[in-house]
């Protein structure tokens, strides 16, 4: 429930679509491996994973490890 609230509150569905299936250049985040999602989200937060679009770095700014774990769990089991 915490992960779902975070995903909705942080607006993940605005880019990744409401069901988190992704679109065009925005990747699918539903049903990904939980450990992969947690690592990717932490990497964005810590500015270790960047690209031409820095929106994910901004979206993950100051998100705690506990909240990242909740998000990754929710998305992996979506």
């Amino acid at each position: 429930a915490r992960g779902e609230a975070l995903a909705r509150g942080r607006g993940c569905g605005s880019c990744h679509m409401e069901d988190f299936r992704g679109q065009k250049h925005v990747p699918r985040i539903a049903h990904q491996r939980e450990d992969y999602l947690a690592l990717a989200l932490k990497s964005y937060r810590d500015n270790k994973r960047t690209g031409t679009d820095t929106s994910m770095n901004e979206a993950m700014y100051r998100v705690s490890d506990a909240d990242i774990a909740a998000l990754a769990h929710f998305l992996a089991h979506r």
Side-chain angles (χ1 to χ4, degrees), residues 16 19-22 26-41 49 69 71-78:
H16 294 277
D19 61 358
F20 311 108
R21 73 179 182 276
V26 178
R28 173 182 56 86
I29 53 176
H31 306 294
Q32 295 283 2
R33 286 184 22 209
E34 191 169 338
D35 60 334
Y36 168 77
L37 288 167
L39 178 63
L41 294 174
R49 184 173 182 160
L71 274 168
H73 180 79
F74 167 71
L75 293 167
H77 296 91
R78 197 65 191 127

Side-chain angles (χ1 to χ4, degrees), residues 1-64:
R2 175 77 181 136
E4 181 175 13
L6 287 163
R8 303 289 179 215
R10 299 196 72 79
C12 300
S14 64
C15 294
H16 294 277
M17 303 301 287
E18 287 300 314
D19 61 358
F20 311 108
R21 73 179 182 276
Q23 62 172 329
K24 300 178 187 170
H25 69 284
V26 178
R28 173 182 56 86
I29 53 176
H31 306 294
Q32 295 283 2
R33 286 184 22 209
E34 191 169 338
D35 60 334
Y36 168 77
L37 288 167
L39 178 63
L41 294 174
K42 286 179 185 178
S43 295
Y44 281 121
R45 178 197 63 197
D46 299 339
N47 286 316
K48 294 180 180 175
R49 184 173 182 160
T50 58
T52 57
D53 182 356
T54 58
S55 59
M56 279 302 299
N57 303 89
E58 182 180 334
M60 296 312 298
Y61 180 70
R62 299 183 75 172
V63 177
S64 70

